[in-house]
Amino acid sequence: MTDSGDLLVVLENVNKHFGDLHVLKDINLAVARGEVVVVIGPSGGGKSTLCRTINRLETIDGGTISLDGRPLPAEGKALAGLRADVGMVFQSFNLFAHKTILQNVTLGPVKVRKIAKADAEREALELLERVGIAAQAQKYPAQLSGGQQQRAAIARALAMKPKLMLFDEPTSALDPEMVSEVLEVMTSLARDGMTMIVVTHEMGFARSAAQRVVFMADGQIVEENTPTEFFTGARTERARDFLSKIL
Ligand code: ADP
Ligand code: MG
């Protein structure tokens, strides 16, 4: 898979251990530019670790990961550049509590991308508009609802103009009535052509926005399929068993 063509992310034989625990076992995954992949599977299966290896929050002990045709750098300046290319949204928002929403969104562009503050603020306001919380720009995270905070976190990630967006269970810490506002933002991002890897159990999102579902368990990719095929006719017992518990 050296000719990456329109592949944005390529993982080949990726392995990761935490001590004796083999958390990622020979993971092979290629994501095309503009593709939306939903990763689903039981807790402890390695989904978060997979996301964290792709933006090098975790190192790997075997295999290769490349982004846009280049292998991930191990450390240093190149790594900071890579981080800017990969936006990540976590379950727990992770906004800076003592900065306003606007400051949260402009911080990365000003510090890392060296954008002039006025330009960064203008872009940030456009992004906050896009995720529907421009009116909250001067507030602090604690003054926002969970759904608004998560939309701010998405705007903050987008402000770095990433090539890839990773979402790790972005709606699982939200009150039920706030889930849809976040999924709507993610769906519109998908429609706009953003390449996305999304760990979620939200079937509706998978069906409406994803091209592919990857089912992960025990550190392995057990099954991959289109959302329709996966939800109506999973091939493996493991996946069917999982689906019977969450549907
Ligand atoms: P998932 O996101 O699918 O629930 P994780 O990637 O969080 O799975 O975890 C996979 C396995 O790795 C689990 O057994 C978890 O306990 C373990 N694990 C995750 N992070 C660490 C860590 N930093 N140190 C040791 N074990 C870890
Ligand atoms: Mg997880």
Side-chain angles (χ1 to χ4, degrees), residues 41-49 51-52 91 168-169 199:
S43 179
K47 305 180 299 297
S48 294
T49 306
C51 289
R52 293 167 60 82
Q91 180 175 333
D168 190 2
E169 305 208 27
V199 179

Side-chain angles (χ1 to χ4, degrees), residues 34 50 112 116 121 131 158-159 198 226-227 239:
L50 178 73
V112 180
E121 287 184 350
V131 302
L158 291 175
V198 184
T226 61

